[in-house]
Amino acid sequence: MRPKSYSIFGGHGSKSGVEHAAEVIFTVCGFFAVLAVASITLYMIISGTPALFKVGILDILFGTIWMPAAATPSFGILYVILTSIIGTALAILIGVPIGVMTAVFLAEVAPERLTNIVRPAVELLAGIPSVIYGLLGILILNPLMYKIELKIFAGSTTHQFTGGANLISAVLVLALMILPTVINISESALRAVPQHLRSASLALGATKIQTIFSAVLPAAKSGIITAIVLGTGRAIGEAMAISLVSGSSVNMPLPFNSVRFLTTAIVSEMSYSAGLHKQVLFTIGLVLFAFIMLINITLNNLLKKGEESHDK
Amino acid sequence: MTNDIVIPVQKESAVTHSIYNQKNRISDSFLTFLIYLCASISIMVLVGIMGYVFVRGIPEISLEFLTTVPSTIKGTFGIVGNIVNTLYVVVITLLIATPLGVGAAIYLNEYAKGGKAVRIIEFTTETLAGIPSIIFGLFGYVFFGNTLGLGYSILTGALTLSIMVLPLITRTTQEALKTVPESYRSGALGIGATKWYMIRTILLPSAMPGIVTGIILAIGRIVGESAALLFTAGSGYLLPKDFFGKIFESGGTLTIQLYLCMQKAKYGQAFGIAVVLLVIVLAINGLAKFLSHKFNTEVKES
Amino acid sequence: GSKNAETQAPDTKTEAGTTSGTTANETTAKEDTATNLKGSISMVGSTSMEKFATALSEVFMEKYPSVTVQAEFVGSGAGIEAVTNGSADIGNSSRNLKDEEKAKGVAENIVAIDGIAVVSDPANTVDNLTKDQLINIYNGTTTNWKELGGADQPIVVIGREAGSGTRTAFEELLKLEDACKYSNELDSTGAVMAKAASTPGSIGYVSLDVLDDTVKTMKLESVEPTPENIKAGSYFLSRPFVMATKGEISEQSDLVKALFDYIYSDEGKDLVKAVGLIPAN
Amino acid sequence: MTTRVNYEHELSLLNHDIKEMGRMVETSIEQCFVAFEDQDFEKAEDIIKGDRTINDLERSIEARCLSIILRQQPVAGDLRVVSSALKVVTDLERIGDHASDIAELILRIKGEHVYHVVRHIPSMATAAREMVRCSIEAFINQDLETAKQIEKQDDVVDELFDKVKNDVVDLLKHSNEHIDQCIDLLMVAKYLERIGDHAVNVCEWTEFSKTGALKNVRIL
Amino acid sequence: MTTRVNYEHELSLLNHDIKEMGRMVETSIEQCFVAFEDQDFEKAEDIIKGDRTINDLERSIEARCLSIILRQQPVAGDLRVVSSALKVVTDLERIGDHASDIAELILRIKGEHVYHVVRHIPSMATAAREMVRCSIEAFINQDLETAKQIEKQDDVVDELFDKVKNDVVDLLKHSNEHIDQCIDLLMVAKYLERIGDHAVNVCEWTEFSKTGALKNVRIL
Amino acid sequence: MNTNTVKITTNHLNLYYGTNHALKDVSLNLFTNKITAFIGPSGCGKSTYLKTLNRMNDLVPSVKIEGEVLLDEENIYDPRVDTTLLRKKIGMVFQQPNPFPMSIYDNVAYGPRIHGIKNKSELDDIVERSLKGAALWDEVSDRLKKSALGLSGGQQQRLCIARALAVEPEVLLMDEPTSALDPISTLKIEDLMDELKEKYTVAIVTHNMQQATRIADNTAFFLVGEVVEYAPTTELFTAPKDKRTEDYITGRFG
Amino acid sequence: MNTNTVKITTNHLNLYYGTNHALKDVSLNLFTNKITAFIGPSGCGKSTYLKTLNRMNDLVPSVKIEGEVLLDEENIYDPRVDTTLLRKKIGMVFQQPNPFPMSIYDNVAYGPRIHGIKNKSELDDIVERSLKGAALWDEVSDRLKKSALGLSGGQQQRLCIARALAVEPEVLLMDEPTSALDPISTLKIEDLMDELKEKYTVAIVTHNMQQATRIADNTAFFLVGEVVEYAPTTELFTAPKDKRTEDYITGRFG
Ligand SMILES: Nc1ncnc2c1ncn2[C@@H]1O[C@H](COP(=O)(O)OP(=O)(O)OP(=O)(O)O)[C@@H](O)[C@H]1O
Ligand SMILES: Nc1ncnc2c1ncn2[C@@H]1O[C@H](COP(=O)(O)OP(=O)(O)OP(=O)(O)O)[C@@H](O)[C@H]1O
Ligand SMILES: [Mg+2]
Ligand SMILES: [Mg+2]
Ligand SMILES: O=P([O-])([O-])[O-]
């Protein structure tokens, strides 16, 4: 046996101070997000619930008349909720297929040179402020919509003309706005599909298109769902871009009606409101918050389930 | 390839299933058409938007536009104040959010011992990422503005945005840390490095591209944000008189100014700002690409 | 707030709305303080008052270079709330204060009178409306311009959002509270201007000082919305611009006092006129 | 439990071939003396021819062993079985050779009756044949007990050889007539003795195949 | 070009051991006759003792071969070398055995002069020893040419054996005196003949080691 | 050469990746119901050669191919060839087990569905037959609807083989099919290949020379794009004709 | 048993991952200047055992360890033990070569730097010595400042060995160090290990049984957490005492 050079028993035998400090600091950082969400939730609840009880839960959630500043104010936000749901759903319905197909085009079909030009453009568009989309909505979409509106409802006495600021405009702006997000994330999901799955499919005699639709897309499913989740989040949470193009009146979410989304409801009246009106706006915030949580949790669960079923 | 060998035609019938039998599949053609259709729609729309913004915006841009602040008396307009404000907000937000986010990611990836704590933190981080900015706006307005009494100020805005971009930084850092192979950790610990030493010398350098990406994405988000800032940082456009004092004064970012211009129907100015924003985003994307490329090659070559 | 008022400014005896002239005493005081006043004033509130407020702050800051005046234009309600809870020195409001607001100790300092102009898209052939016609348009009885002698075109009714000072004043003056049928509820004066300008058949109302030729300005009862007509009382849509403070002006900091002094000075009145408004009183 | 179908199959073929070779060798020895007693010279010729088959079988077993080593990398028991097979066939082949040698001598001694004079050859033949039979059986079954006994039996064969030698010496002392035949008979005995030795070798390989040791010395 | 240091080393050790074993066997044979001619009975005893070393060396070479097979999975040339080594040592050991057997007989014949009567034994011994030497050399060097020649030389040894046999028969015909010695001498000749056979076997393994075929039949 | 009838012939095949001459004048025959192994150091062109046999190299943009490859005497590089049919006839199994992220059933049914089989009971039949053919049926028959990613590596690889069998190929190409597997799974797959050759013509690339000796009838040794030696496996591994072959298989060559 | 002096002793070691009893009463000795190999089917606890020897298992949250591990007769699970010192004495090399994304030089100098060596020329010395010890110096001496990631797999693994040597360990633990390498690199590393055992005590986990036979002095066969048999390698691979060992090494056991 060679002489023992030194013993493994250290002087202290435990971690040094730096180690401990580092761990504590990182732990605190880790729980900061929890703190933030907790306080946001808390604030939303504190600010949002009083009105809920003052006005009555049913009256707020299922009331259809929004007259917050009237002598006998009325705070029904059913139409607002419906607008958000329907508007977002429609935007997703339009934006996602186009976005996914475009992603397929970029990731699978397009020649590399074209992809190299288009992809940075898409990335750029994902980064531009949403208000710019709103700007274009006002300037291009609204006048166009008004022309259509005039045609369709010519002579109608019951229809209130909106000058093109309607649900469709908002939906189109939203659909357009989520497009870059959906394209980007779907494309990277598609690119992340291991090459060997494509080879496997081709080697079984599948054509390129069959490979894309039968092997690649299913394999990228979870990524595409993420794209949809983020798209949905962006659509439902967007406020500024559509506050100007949707007309912002509280109405039934019919295509040519001027409508108000949950987000726009807050943005447009927050500044002016006071008292109960303000509290109700926080209630709307709370509803929006609840919506987002609900969507996140359900989609997350869906995603996780999908993944789990593959993992084991 | 040599095609000079003539393959007798009768062979096709002789062999039971000849491979000479090309045919087109209708479903394939249809789906191909669909892909091309969707792609051209989105590409045209997206390219159209950019073109439109540039065409309308570039004529608006002038030296005055870029170097002055608006004046009602003189009836002039400029965005230098907003540019400065944007810088303030970006820098302060990052100063707050980066250490927190990176720290949280390190905690989640390296220290947390699995279980509930991690699940809660990850869930809340995800939730935070999903909260619409208008809610952050409300919260910042109430909490930082009113409760803490900071009013409309750059600090209120930056604090609000810090919370907002926190999940972005945490997540990208976490992803980057996750991609650092487990083997690096065991490699370092296996020769007797302490954990913090290992994090410092191996993990953080390896995760740097990811962290930088996270920061750049955060900058993008901050620059483009409007709803969360409108009620927090306000819309001030004056140049700072006092470097630190400005932090407590209101300051509208470019995007806020763009929104305000839109509201006032000053579309020309709005497009001018839009061009500036596009250029900034373009620069950020370019920077991100450059940095991640640089880091990557650095890691490879060094 | 005005944290950095270093020197005690000489006492000013001026009361809000009582004096209109500039005393020699004040002039010297101002010159005195011009070099010494330092700090910032924050005002929050009405979007209709944006033009007036920015012009005011610009001129005031030129006069007192060490002073910063910050103005946020988020709406009358928010302004009043801000001043109530102390997060702003001055709350701009384009309507009179409500009693419950006054009850919280907020003082109503009327700094100018504004008219509300009714605007339409430039191509509109109708250029005059009676009060009844206006009421019928806004309560949804009249839906097409041809009923008013114009082209066969649906009327797009544009208004402001609930809580807006302009909207409150407009609806009050026309006794239209809770009866308006808007097809667009936009959240700023500028947005109404823009929408009206770009939408054929539109009608909207905005503050007097923002009028320009992108829109057609309606005569009401054949009266043009001009300061003169408003002063004369022949144009019936007018309301005050209020710069509310927490407590009377005398209770404010020197900076704020100096600002109000300026507003009520001749120079200030000229400024009010210059931006197309009518000086208070 | 994996099967390694192929491998098992090859191993069983190997076993089968060794058994077959053993059977053939045994038969050779037996037939030798049958031929001699019956003076059936054709049978003797057959035996000599049969040796060629045995030689071929040796080659084929060797080839199979090497192929298994090449393809399957046997270890432990498998390696011992394969390598002892590789060695044991040498002994079997040699036994076959000796049987054929004996047959050749028998052809020469043909018709002579010296054989009856040398009394111990028949018992020697029986003993040797029995040893071969048992040793092959022991090898196939990896039966160490039997193997040990056979080793003892070799002493009997050796003793018998000495007796045969004495017989021959006696015979030669008494007559000069059958010198050639005597010497041939002596050779037959020598071959039988060698056959016993080879049977002992087979037993040694049995020990190795079972334990990895040869005469208690660990080889593998 | 990788070295596979260990593997090469083991292969070279194997080669060395075989050479060594060959050398020992050769010496044994040589010493046998030196001992006989010099009537040096101690030397004869040494030879008998030396056989034990040869046996041990056989075991150790076998062990080395199996170890190489187990550890290194030799293929191609390497596998042929290792497996032929595994086989060739049996022959070498047997040659050693025979040398020792001869030595034993020599001890018995001690002092007698019959040996000089049987004239062909010395040349037979020389031929056999030469065959062994050459065959081992051929094996080590994978020298097919030499190997072929040696196979031919075996016929010479076989012929010499027949001559010795005739010598012995003649001797016996003329006298009954030295029957034991004659028979022993015959046995010595038989052993030498077997040694020649084994040398031929070594040559066959040389062919295999070089080509993978035994007598032109592909085995590996 | 362990022969039978010729299934695939390559005549003077040259392949270039851009300027990289990856296959140099390769002429080989693959025989029906035999296993042919390809060995050689990394980068010598084994995979490339395998891929030329079912035109998977078509997907590489810069590739240029000269010479001919005949499948049952038809040139597979003829412009009239439908690669879909070709690849249906020549199945391929890859180094890493690569099941699709779907159920076991769907994985196996993938090929048949692509080729237009919709009928449920017919598909059931094919799936069962293929899984049995790949010696996997017993292990998975009770969880066909579970995700294929839940299988062990060896099972996944056998699933990939089943998936290839489901389209009823005539030739099975395997590129290092066991290099990602543990020794036990490897032995299972080797046994399986031995069974498969009864019905199919099999070509396999392997780094494991013992594997080649165990399963292949014929073996070709590649070196920088050339076929140095092509011979019956036993011959190649016991008495290679070329010094380079011997150096390589005895591990003296890197 | 191929013995010498005992370097590491484990007495009745039991290890639990939560409720999973991963090591069951393992008692073994590792001998100085010998190579000890651990074989066994996947999941039998080989890596776990190896990791208990330098307390890398400490990092797993739910782990519980009973029994003692003595290094030179000192219990490494004593609370006074400084794991940094312990791991300096007991180096580890992993399955996948895992050089840090730095230069070759920095990789090797990483360990010494941790342990406080700052002096440039001293570091130079250590780096050269370690690289020579890992038989890599000749191949990389002219590009020490280049990234380690540019090396081939086999070179990377030898770099990792050099990195481990640089802290002058007494024991070297290797967990399947060649499973990610091609046959040629594997042979190189095996040759290297044979050299290393002159100076170090080496323990290696391997799936490749031939490798164990080639390099190890003693071999332990693990099965579901138990040591079924521990014997000199040749003995274990030629005449295993336990039927389960024989079944495993002959490939009859899955
Ligand atoms: N898609 C490709 N583009 C360009 N060159 C390629 C491509 N694929 C392979 N090569 C080159 O062709 C040569 C042969 O590669 P191939 O993959 O066929 O080797 P291999 O024998 O399969 O090696 P390995 O054993 O590592 O799999 C190599 O030099 C390689 O770099
Ligand atoms: N960090 C861990 N947490 C929980 N269980 C573990 C952990 N690591 C290993 N195990 C379990 O302990 C047992 C032994 O694992 P170990 O990694 O030691 O096996 P192994 O013999 O090294 O296998 P392999 O050959 O696949 O590397 C397995 O059942 C494994 O699932
Ligand atoms: Mg390959
Ligand atoms: Mg392991
Ligand atoms: O912005 P307002 O003036 O309408 O409150």
Side-chain angles (χ1 to χ4, degrees), chain F residues 182, chain G residues 15-18 20-23 39-51 57 59-63 95 175-176 205-207 222 224-225 248:
Chain F
D182 60 297
Chain G
L15 185 144
Y16 305 81
Y17 288 118
N20 176 5
H21 196 170
L23 289 179
I39 61 166
S42 192
C44 65
K46 305 178 297 291
S47 303
T48 301
Y49 178 70
L50 213 61
K51 282 190 257 167
N57 266 335
L59 309 175
V60 180
S62 63
V63 83
Q95 179 171 4
D175 195 349
E176 304 187 31
V205 168
T206 178
H207 259 312
F222 277 72
V224 283
Y248 181 72

Side-chain angles (χ1 to χ4, degrees), chain E residues 99-172:
Chain E
S100 143
D101 287 343
I102 293 172
E104 250 174 77
L105 291 174
I106 282 169
L107 278 182
R108 274 226 307 249
I109 314 176
K110 85 174 108 167
E112 319 271 344
H113 51 280
V114 198
Y115 172 59
H116 300 286
V117 184
V118 182
R119 292 155 302 166
H120 295 98
I121 284 215
S123 38
M124 204 179 165
T126 316
R129 210 191 61 212
E130 193 57 19
M131 272 180 80
V132 170
R133 198 182 56 73
C134 293
S135 66
I136 291 170
E137 209 157 80
F139 181 78
I140 299 283
N141 302 330
Q142 301 208 336
D143 179 350
L144 274 187
E145 279 310 299
T146 317
K148 286 255 163 65
Q149 282 166 12
I150 292 163
E151 283 176 40
K152 270 175 215 142
Q153 230 186 308
D154 188 40
D155 297 341
V156 179
V157 175
D158 285 352
E159 268 167 38
L160 281 171
F161 174 67
D162 285 341
K163 282 183 185 153
V164 171
K165 200 172 151 193
N166 291 338
D167 284 355
V168 171
V169 171
D170 278 355
L171 200 66
L172 284 178

Side-chain angles (χ1 to χ4, degrees), chain G residues 160-180:
Chain G
C160 294
I161 294 174
R163 190 174 65 187
L165 298 185
V167 296
E168 300 184 343
E170 298 169 12
V171 181
L172 217 51
L173 308 177
M174 305 192 175
D175 195 349
E176 304 187 31
T178 63
S179 73

Side-chain angles (χ1 to χ4, degrees), chain E residues 1 4 8 76-78 80 220, chain F residues 237-239 246 249-252:
Chain E
M1 187 72 59
R4 294 196 72 182
E8 300 290 352
D78 297 345
R80 292 198 308 269
L220 207 142
Chain F
F237 278 97
T238 53
E246 170 130 13
I249 62 177
T250 55
R252 288 189 176 77

Side-chain angles (χ1 to χ4, degrees), chain G residues 35-89:
Chain G
I35 299 182
T36 308
F38 301 104
I39 61 166
S42 192
C44 65
K46 305 178 297 291
S47 303
T48 301
Y49 178 70
L50 213 61
K51 282 190 257 167
T52 56
L53 300 185
N54 72 342
R55 293 187 55 176
M56 288 295 276
N57 266 335
D58 283 15
L59 309 175
V60 180
S62 63
V63 83
K64 204 183 89 198
I65 297 171
E66 289 163 5
E68 55 173 16
V69 179
L70 305 181
L71 169 69
D72 291 331
E73 288 156 41
E74 293 179 325
N75 186 356
I76 68 168
Y77 282 96
D78 189 289
R80 287 170 302 159
V81 164
D82 183 348
T83 50
T84 306
L85 280 181
L86 172 68
R87 294 187 190 141
K88 181 174 177 332
K89 277 200 167 192

Side-chain angles (χ1 to χ4, degrees), chain A residues 70 160-161 247 258 271-272, chain C residues 74 78 160-161 178 181 183 185:
Chain A
Q160 189 180 28
F161 285 86
S258 160
S271 344
Y272 298 88
Chain C
V74 289
R160 293 288 305 277
E161 75 290 358
D178 313 330
K181 292 241 165 7
S183 76
E185 291 182 48

Side-chain angles (χ1 to χ4, degrees), chain A residues 67-72 142 146 150 157 160-165 243-244 247-251 258 260 267-274 277-278, chain C residues 47 74-79 81 101 143 153-157 160-165 178 181-188 191 195 199-201:
Chain A
M67 275 206 246
T72 47
N142 282 359
Y146 190 43
L150 285 175
T157 48
Q160 189 180 28
F161 285 86
T162 62
S243 68
L244 293 171
S248 244
S249 283
V250 181
N251 278 314
S258 160
R260 187 179 290 188
V267 172
S268 48
E269 288 181 10
M270 197 65 201
S271 344
Y272 298 88
S273 58
H277 182 190
K278 185 157 210 154
Chain C
T47 59
V74 289
S76 305
E81 180 171 328
E101 288 163 352
T143 59
Q153 194 162 39
I155 302 176
V156 178
V157 183
R160 293 288 305 277
E161 75 290 358
S164 152
D178 313 330
K181 292 241 165 7
Y182 298 110
S183 76
N184 281 233
E185 291 182 48
L186 306 181
D187 59 1
S188 74
K195 190 78 195 176
T199 310

